[in-house]
Amino acid sequence: ENQRWIAARLERLQQELQDLDRLSPGVKKIQLRKLQLELHPDKQPVGLRDKVQSLFLMVQSRWEANEVAWQHEKRAKERQMHEREQETQRQKAERERNLQEELRRKQAMAEEEEEQERWRREEKEEQNRR
């Protein structure tokens, strides 16, 4: 009976491992974790532990193979986040520079208008004195 169970479970496991390839990395990780827990030899009755070991090792090797890809994906996401943060900071600095430039322009215009007004007043005063 144990042999039949092992054979049936092996067949089902092979199909489950094939189906994993169609899943997203996050879902794949969850499914592999469930299989690890289900097939861990310590979770099996004493009579099945030796027989389940090979099934568990199949899952474990798939986990380890995917771990490299998950780490790569995690680093890529972290890099992407870092780049987005840098871009946000760059845009913020650009807006700040633009605001400062606009403020300088307005101040220069106000000073120029003030200078022109002073010049007009002086001109009027000069005309009034004549």
Side-chain angles (χ1 to χ4, degrees), residues 1 30 33 46 52 72 82 91 102 105 121 129:
E1 185 177 320
I30 291 169
R33 188 71 180 130
V46 176
V52 173
H72 177 72
H82 180 69
Q91 289 173 352
E102 181 68 21
R105 239 181 282 126
R121 267 184 302 191
R129 279 191 221 132

Side-chain angles (χ1 to χ4, degrees), residues 4-90:
R4 273 188 302 182
W5 182 87
I6 292 290
R9 188 61 187 102
L10 174 60
E11 189 175 321
R12 212 168 71 237
L13 177 61
Q14 289 171 334
Q15 184 60 51
E16 289 169 332
L17 292 175
Q18 282 180 351
D19 293 345
L20 286 176
D21 294 333
R22 291 188 283 270
L23 301 176
S24 69
V27 175
K28 186 185 292 189
K29 192 172 190 175
I30 291 169
Q31 293 301 332
L32 280 170
R33 188 71 180 130
K34 285 179 183 178
L35 288 170
Q36 283 176 322
L37 293 172
E38 174 196 340
L39 296 172
H40 196 282
D42 292 346
K43 303 288 183 182
Q44 307 304 319
V46 176
L48 279 179
R49 286 182 183 173
D50 290 342
K51 295 172 178 81
V52 173
Q53 179 75 23
S54 62
L55 301 179
F56 176 75
L57 291 175
M58 287 174 68
V59 174
Q60 193 62 21
S61 67
R62 182 64 76 94
W63 175 273
E64 290 167 2
N66 281 284
E67 186 122 40
V68 172
W70 295 328
Q71 290 300 320
H72 177 72
E73 181 181 330
K74 180 181 176 184
R75 283 190 296 277
K77 284 181 181 178
E78 288 170 351
R79 246 190 329 273
Q80 213 173 33
M81 249 175 67
H82 180 69
E83 288 169 1
R84 269 185 259 156
E85 287 172 5
Q86 284 182 321
E87 179 61 19
T88 300
Q89 290 299 323
R90 189 196 63 73

Side-chain angles (χ1 to χ4, degrees), residues 122-130:
E122 288 174 358
E123 186 125 327
K124 267 187 182 180
E125 288 173 3
E126 185 69 31
Q127 285 175 358
N128 289 342
R129 279 191 221 132
R130 289 186 210 166

